Amino acid sequence: MLTLQGKIVAITGASGGIGEATARLLAQRGAAVVLSARRSERIDAIAQDIREQGGRATACVVDVTKAEDLRRLVSTAIDQYGRIDVLVNNAGIAPISPLADLDTEGWSAMIDVNLRGTLNGIAAALPAFRAQGSGHLVSIVSVAGLTVSPTMAVYAATKNAVRTVHEGLRKESTDGVVRTTAISPGYIRTDLADSMADPNVRELTRKNMDAMGIPPAAVARAVAFAIEQPADVEIGEINVRPTVQA
Ligand SMILES: NC(=O)c1ccc[n+]([C@@H]2O[C@H](COP(=O)([O-])OP(=O)(O)OC[C@H]3O[C@@H](n4cnc5c(N)ncnc54)[C@H](OP(=O)(O)O)[C@@H]3O)[C@@H](O)[C@H]2O)c1
């Protein structure tokens, strides 16, 4: 019987959307979760709600662009629960726009949060995983990296960079200590469009999310599936799309 009972899981970007749904589902299935994001009142409230429903949850304020914040997230998990079994690198932003708009600030922000933020997570978790003799890195990438649509070039580039880092880490981890999983969602109904500065792109994305988006719990179930596998089974990549998405 596969189970999440007793797993200790830290999640970035857990103040809403996919991160929140993942924290709630994993806690329901017996994992202890450490929720992190910048908005402390939201992660505090979600952690409290999980505890009131009988789960184990702690909140930790983290900006993923700061390496020291990720180190504090990992040490919070270890201080509270004795170890860290899984880090879910989920925090992400999508200020997408056509390249010709030259939104270089948006490009830098995506590199800082989506790529550097994930690298900061890997740098914080790997020493703990090695010291424990086991650990699992899960990163939320995107189907936007599998086929590149107009307006999404830089966003897709950051997600594909994370995919590449995962593959490198997988090849360097064949001693069986570290497992890696990259999960690529399609349209998921969340607040991700809020980070889009271009009003036309934002409205089109919201329209697509409303028309075909599936709930964030669909991605949460994929995370649960990957991490409940026995230690000798690695789920490398999962794509989770609405059935009606091209
Ligand atoms: N929704 C989709 O259709 C879709 C599709 C493919 C991939 N994804 C990916 O799924 C992941 C989750 O996105 P979502 O759809 O759930 O969007 P969301 O509802 O906007 O959630 C994004 C989360 O990231 C956090 N975040 C943003 N910047 C951060 C920073 N500097 N430090 C720490 N946390 C930060 C936010 O928390 P705070 O603002 O509180 O810090 C929030 O919790 C992202 O990586 C996104 O690229 C989403």
Side-chain angles (χ1 to χ4, degrees):
M1 176 79 167
L2 299 177
T3 179
L4 298 177
Q5 205 66 44
K7 293 253 188 210
I8 314 300
V9 184
I11 304 162
T12 67
S15 57
I18 292 169
E20 175 183 353
T22 300
R24 289 185 182 279
L25 182 79
L26 300 186
Q28 268 168 23
R29 296 203 190 165
V33 291
V34 184
L35 297 99
S36 72
R38 292 165 305 174
R39 286 171 291 176
S40 60
E41 69 295 343
R42 289 186 67 138
I43 48 173
D44 284 343
I46 298 163
Q48 163 106 13
D49 197 39
I50 290 172
R51 287 194 298 271
E52 282 170 8
Q53 290 172 36
R56 291 192 296 161
T58 304
C60 178
V61 175
V62 166
D63 180 338
V64 295
T65 65
K66 297 180 178 155
E68 65 273 20
D69 282 16
L70 270 305
R71 289 195 289 271
R72 192 164 36 72
L73 175 61
V74 169
S75 56
T76 299
I78 295 169
D79 292 348
Q80 285 279 322
Y81 302 113
R83 55 188 285 120
I84 176 167
D85 295 306
V86 185
L87 174 65
V88 182
N89 290 304
N90 164 73
I93 57 170
I96 56 174
S97 59
L99 287 167
D101 284 2
L102 305 182
D103 177 18
T104 53
E105 278 185 22
W107 302 349
S108 296
M110 284 187 276
I111 292 168
D112 283 345
V113 176
N114 301 354
L115 175 55
R116 204 183 309 283
T118 299
L119 290 172
N120 286 339
I122 292 173
L126 269 189
F129 291 169
R130 294 249 149 237
Q132 293 168 176
S134 70
H136 192 161
L137 270 161
V138 178
S139 294
I140 307 302
V141 288
S142 177
V143 298
L146 300 174
T147 54
V148 183
S149 302
T151 74
M152 295 208 187
V154 178
Y155 177 73
T158 61
K159 295 299 188 178
N160 281 340
V162 171
R163 198 177 270 113
T164 301
V165 170
H166 261 250
E167 181 60 1
L169 184 58
R170 185 185 75 76
K171 288 262 176 70
E172 292 177 14
S173 307
T174 50
D175 59 359
V177 172
V178 179
R179 291 191 289 170
T180 62
T181 304
I183 299 182
S184 297
Y187 277 113
I188 311 296
R189 237 175 282 126
T190 70
D191 294 335
L192 190 67
D194 292 357
S195 64
M196 296 172 187
D198 183 317
N200 296 327
V201 175
R202 190 171 59 236
E203 282 325 302
L204 180 64
T205 305
R206 283 194 177 136
K207 218 173 115 203
N208 284 333
M209 274 184 183
D210 287 346
M212 66 176 115
I214 51 177
V219 183
R221 290 193 296 274
V223 176
F225 172 74
I227 68 185
E228 72 187 356
Q229 300 302 314
D232 60 348
V233 177
E234 179 178 74
I235 304 296
E237 295 223 18
I238 305 178
N239 302 333
V240 185
R241 287 188 190 85
T243 311
V244 296
Q245 183 175 344

